[in-house]
Amino acid sequence: MGAEIALVFALAGHDVLHNDRNEASLERATARLAILLQKGVERGFYTADTIARALQRIRTTTRLDDYAGVDMVTEAVFEAQDVKAAILAELDCVCRPDCLIASNTSTIPISTLAGLLPQARRPYFVGTHYFSPVSRMKLVEVIPGFETAPATISIAMRLMAAVGKTPIRVKDVAGFAVNRMLHMFIIEAVRLVEEGVATPEDIDTACRLGLGHPMGPFALMDAVTLSLCVQAQEIMQEAYGERFRPPALLK
């Protein structure tokens, strides 16, 4: 998702610095973006000139020190609070005091993550939860923490709209709005398979043709990975109780 977030900003005309753990990861991400953009050209979404300019705007780095002069950073590592804590601590040491830091977490409350930062940094910290695939999905949940400044929220909302997204402001709770609804839906879909009510393929067909969804829950789980679904449900189970316990079949 981090690579596609970088792409969305580059397509909107911003210079972007994309970080990952090593050069091999960055090369794989860049190759995936090139394939994605080429498919977009074939479908008429982009011109070859547009994608060439966008890719030129994305620089890559394995060093967080390179973020010293940027206006905004988006953290998009996986849903593990200890990993996010380490990244945020490094960014706090590197970034300008007024740099806006956003998290793409899908389930961890923003105020919990903000608590990992010094007091002076918290007004500039906000949640911007994108949806996969970022290059196609328009929605972004903008989630202020308890200490997020009103100006930071306004900047985030305007910036999301300026890069072609539709932002909605959501209260800071575990799972926010969309994932709380989505995972109840996914949990029930898995239970239907556990109980022998229908096959995964037939449930996906039912959701596409009966509910008008672009893809069914099992195809969606394949796209976002089963491990991420389990992680998200375990985080929400801790927050809300048994209704979010991951089904045995999913685990």
Side-chain angles (χ1 to χ4, degrees):
M1 288 187 77
E4 287 208 26
I5 293 170
L7 174 62
V8 164
F9 277 82
L11 285 167
H14 294 276
D15 292 325
V16 183
L17 186 61
H18 179 212
N19 166 268
D20 212 324
R21 289 170 292 186
N22 51 55
E23 290 292 346
S25 296
L26 288 168
E27 288 172 5
R28 287 194 298 271
T30 301
R32 285 197 303 270
L33 288 185
I35 293 169
L36 176 68
L37 287 168
Q38 187 55 46
K39 289 181 179 178
V41 171
E42 293 168 1
R43 295 170 182 170
F45 298 148
Y46 314 114
T47 66
D49 185 52
T50 297
I51 65 171
R53 289 201 304 270
L55 290 174
Q56 287 173 357
R57 293 188 188 106
I58 301 175
R59 293 189 297 119
T60 60
T61 181
T62 58
R63 291 166 33 90
L64 288 181
D65 289 353
D66 291 339
Y67 284 87
V70 303
D71 297 316
M72 176 184 180
V73 179
T74 300
E75 168 274 307
V77 301
F78 56 91
E79 291 291 277
Q81 188 170 318
D82 57 339
V83 178
K84 290 182 184 291
I87 295 292
L88 291 173
E90 284 194 67
L91 290 173
D92 177 55
C93 293
V94 167
C95 294
R96 297 193 324 249
D98 62 343
C99 175
L100 191 156
I101 299 178
S103 175
N104 181 49
T105 180
S106 60
T107 49
I108 303 172
I110 297 304
S111 294
T112 299
L113 295 178
L116 304 171
L117 292 166
Q119 186 79 37
R121 183 71 76 177
R122 296 173 194 170
Y124 300 95
F125 186 71
V126 68
T128 53
H129 177 217
Y130 299 79
F131 292 82
S132 186
V134 179
S135 56
R136 288 169 46 201
M137 301 293 278
K138 289 290 188 181
L139 183 66
V140 177
E141 291 179 307
V142 174
I143 311 104
F146 292 136
E147 298 177 73
T148 305
T152 298
I153 303 167
S154 297
I155 291 169
M157 295 288 284
R158 290 199 307 269
L159 189 56
M160 295 304 102
V163 300
K165 299 303 180 186
T166 300
I168 62 170
R169 179 170 170 170
V170 177
K171 184 179 178 180
D172 185 25
V173 295
F176 314 128
V178 174
N179 268 348
R180 279 179 61 174
M181 294 185 290
L182 172 64
H183 283 282
M184 291 303 294
F185 183 76
I186 286 175
I187 287 168
E188 193 61 27
V190 175
R191 284 176 180 156
L192 288 170
V193 174
E194 283 183 329
E195 296 167 10
V197 175
T199 66
E201 295 82 4
D202 284 346
I203 290 171
D204 278 0
T205 298
C207 290
R208 290 197 315 274
L209 302 184
L211 299 178
H213 293 186
M215 66 170 63
F218 292 94
L220 179 60
M221 284 187 277
D222 284 343
V224 302
T225 74
L226 299 177
S227 59
L228 181 60
C229 290
V230 172
Q231 275 185 314
Q233 289 167 20
E234 287 177 339
I235 289 169
M236 287 188 282
Q237 180 191 0
E238 185 175 349
Y240 302 116
E242 287 301 297
R243 59 184 168 147
F244 282 104
R245 178 181 291 278
L249 181 59
L250 176 59
K251 298 185 78 170

